[in-house]
Amino acid sequence: MTDLSPRTWHRRASRPVSVWMVVFLLAALASPLISQPRWLLMHIFTLGILTNSVVLWSQNLTERFLQRRLDDSARPAQLTRIYLLNAGVITVIAGQLLAPAWGRHWVVTGAGAALVAAVLAWHAAALGGQVRAAGPGKRHRPAVLGYVAASLFLVVGAVLGAALAAGLPGAWQVRVLHAHLLANVGGFVGLAVMASLSVLFPAMWRVNGAGDRDRISIPLAAAGTALAVVGSFAGPRAAAAGVLVYTAAWAWMFLGFVANVVAVARDPRGRISFPGVSVFAGLIWLLASMLWYAARLFAGAPEPPSLALLMGFAAQVLIGTMSYLIPTTMGGGPAAVRAGLAELARAGWLRVIAFNAGLAGWLAADSPAAQGVFRIIAFVALVSFLPLMARAARVQVSAIKGLS
Ligand code: HEM
């Protein structure tokens, strides 16, 4: 572990995300043969792809946001966290796969969830240490504190997931399911996205940021999530109040983004890009799903909008953000970065429209045949990112070599 140059470290740390993307594809193809394909696909995506991405990029972006690069001697501990996280994720999935055959499978799931929770608590402490060391004057301090809060919400969400796997009496299973979704999707994924986009959204659209909205939105979203999670135990109305606070926090941040988009629409100059449009569309899914969710909770007939949140929001924002971050992090000069960005933006409008229309059709269609067709359209549009990512890396590397 002594020769961890930045490139080696980043390659090793980012490998699990690529491996989980392939596992996701294989599991989707094999889903007719699997006993709980919905749970499995959702958790390969959330624990395998999303959690690895958040742990990797929240560290990378913390260093950029605090303008304080860590010494290479800090990398082995980061890599250990990533390996332990993946051991935990594999154990959780193995535990749930054992469910049909073994009544006490939840012991295995619980052990995996405990490992995931411990790694995220360690990650939160590591990021918290970097905030403290950077001092109070840093402009993007709220964003990094957002990463700390996001990680802590996964600690809570993992414990709730273990309880769900064990099975709870009466109404508790449903209440805890809502708390689990709110802590994980609203708190963990939502806060990590909010923290990242508070800085990256204006950068993707190549405009100046619209003020310091992160100072209000990030703490308010954390408070809203905490209220929603605790409220879920009391019943749907209390959870709805928290979801509304959370949505208000996002709406405040989103208004700043709308101002960015309007400024670009008035004078585009080539600034409308695949990453920016995907992320913007993803946030519309988040706001609409959360408003719908709050309305259902108030009506006392809650249904978690899991698909809309995981696909419309989380997957779309992840792919949009990666399409921006991977080329800009690889670097190599403006021409090389432009070449990488251009590959990842191929057929951008077609992909964004096909994905959003496919997902909306999938959610709205009544007949299984129509749902199947829409689902395939949405998946193909989403998964087209994978070959483009491989091509973009090749093109950017050859552009870098051509320059040197
Ligand atoms: C840390 C380990 C985790 C464990 C042990 C776990 C366990 C579970 C279990 C057992 C259920 C099914 C509950 C039921 O149907 O009664 C469930 C549902 C769910 N989980 Fe997790 N989970 C974990 C992490 C996550 C993460 C990180 C996310 C999102 C970022 C997530 C999102 C969801 C969602 C959206 C559902 C509802 C699925 C649906 O609508 O069918 N989980 N989880």
Side-chain angles (χ1 to χ4, degrees):
M1 289 277 222
T2 43
D3 65 334
L4 279 185
S5 72
R7 229 164 251 282
T8 317
W9 127 253
H10 196 82
R11 207 179 48 238
R12 285 196 197 163
S14 61
R15 192 167 295 146
V17 179
S18 318
V19 171
W20 283 112
M21 284 180 177
V22 174
V23 172
F24 181 87
L25 272 184
L26 296 178
L29 293 174
S31 59
L33 309 172
I34 297 171
S35 64
Q36 320 167 49
R38 180 180 167 106
W39 185 91
L40 187 69
L41 286 175
M42 280 189 174
H43 287 78
I44 290 177
F45 173 61
T46 56
L47 282 169
I49 300 174
L50 275 182
T51 306
N52 269 294
S53 302
V54 170
V55 168
L56 173 70
W57 288 100
S58 59
Q59 175 57 47
N60 178 301
L61 293 171
T62 289
E63 293 177 43
R64 293 202 218 170
F65 292 174
L66 297 175
Q67 295 154 310
R68 199 176 155 274
R69 216 178 160 281
L70 287 187
D71 196 72
D72 285 345
S73 63
R75 304 298 173 209
Q78 292 171 7
L79 217 45
T80 304
R81 282 202 285 278
I82 287 175
Y83 291 154
L84 287 176
L85 168 68
N86 284 288
V89 173
I90 291 168
T91 311
V92 165
I93 291 175
Q96 288 308 94
L97 286 178
L98 286 173
W102 185 36
R104 292 172 72 84
H105 72 279
W106 52 269
V107 178
V108 178
T109 311
L115 191 50
V116 171
V119 170
L120 268 290
W122 182 11
H123 183 62
L127 296 180
Q130 292 170 59
V131 177
R132 255 197 321 279
K138 295 287 177 184
R139 170 154 178 235
H140 297 311
R141 183 183 163 95
V144 181
L145 289 174
Y147 288 139
V148 175
S151 308
L152 294 177
F153 274 117
L154 182 50
V155 176
V156 175
V159 172
L160 296 172
L164 286 171
L168 298 163
W172 285 102
Q173 185 77 11
V174 173
R175 289 181 181 172
V176 172
L177 177 65
H178 288 286
H180 175 71
L181 180 140
L182 287 162
N184 283 334
V185 182
F188 170 60
V189 181
L191 277 172
V193 167
M194 186 184 255
S196 305
L197 292 183
S198 67
V199 183
L200 295 181
F201 190 90
M204 286 175 186
W205 287 84
R206 291 194 272 144
V207 284
N208 290 325
D212 289 336
R213 286 173 187 259
D214 55 352
R215 271 155 225 277
I216 293 175
S217 285
I218 291 174
L220 192 63
T225 310
L227 183 61
V229 171
V230 175
S232 298
F233 297 115
R237 296 242 157 86
V243 173
L244 282 183
V245 173
Y246 179 79
T247 312
W250 259 112
W252 179 243
M253 174 75 70
F254 187 71
L255 282 177
F257 297 162
V258 171
N260 296 156
V261 173
V262 168
V264 172
R266 286 211 177 109
D267 176 21
R269 285 186 283 136
R271 291 182 293 175
I272 301 177
S273 66
F274 173 75
V277 175
S278 300
V279 164
F280 194 66
L283 295 183
I284 294 173
W285 278 99
L286 172 71
L287 288 168
S289 310
M290 284 297 179
L291 282 177
W292 181 86
Y293 192 17
R296 300 291 296 173
L297 286 163
F298 266 122
E303 246 177 278
S306 307
L307 264 183
L309 285 173
L310 294 182
M311 298 277 296
F313 164 59
Q316 188 161 214
V317 167
L318 178 76
I319 283 177
T321 310
M322 290 303 107
S323 301
Y324 174 80
L325 272 180
I326 294 173
T328 50
T329 305
M330 247 174 111
V337 171
R338 260 200 310 277
L341 285 169
E343 281 305 318
L344 277 162
R346 263 180 203 279
W349 280 111
L350 179 66
R351 284 155 65 213
V352 170
I353 292 169
F355 175 74
N356 286 286
L359 180 59
W362 175 9
L363 292 174
D366 284 329
S367 82
Q371 283 178 352
V373 171
F374 283 124
R375 189 165 56 219
I376 290 173
I377 296 174
F379 264 109
V380 171
L382 198 67
V383 166
S384 58
F385 167 75
L386 295 178
L388 291 176
M389 182 171 70
R391 266 178 71 120
R394 266 201 314 274
V395 166
Q396 193 162 343
V397 166
S398 48
I400 295 170
K401 285 192 181 141
L403 284 180
S404 56

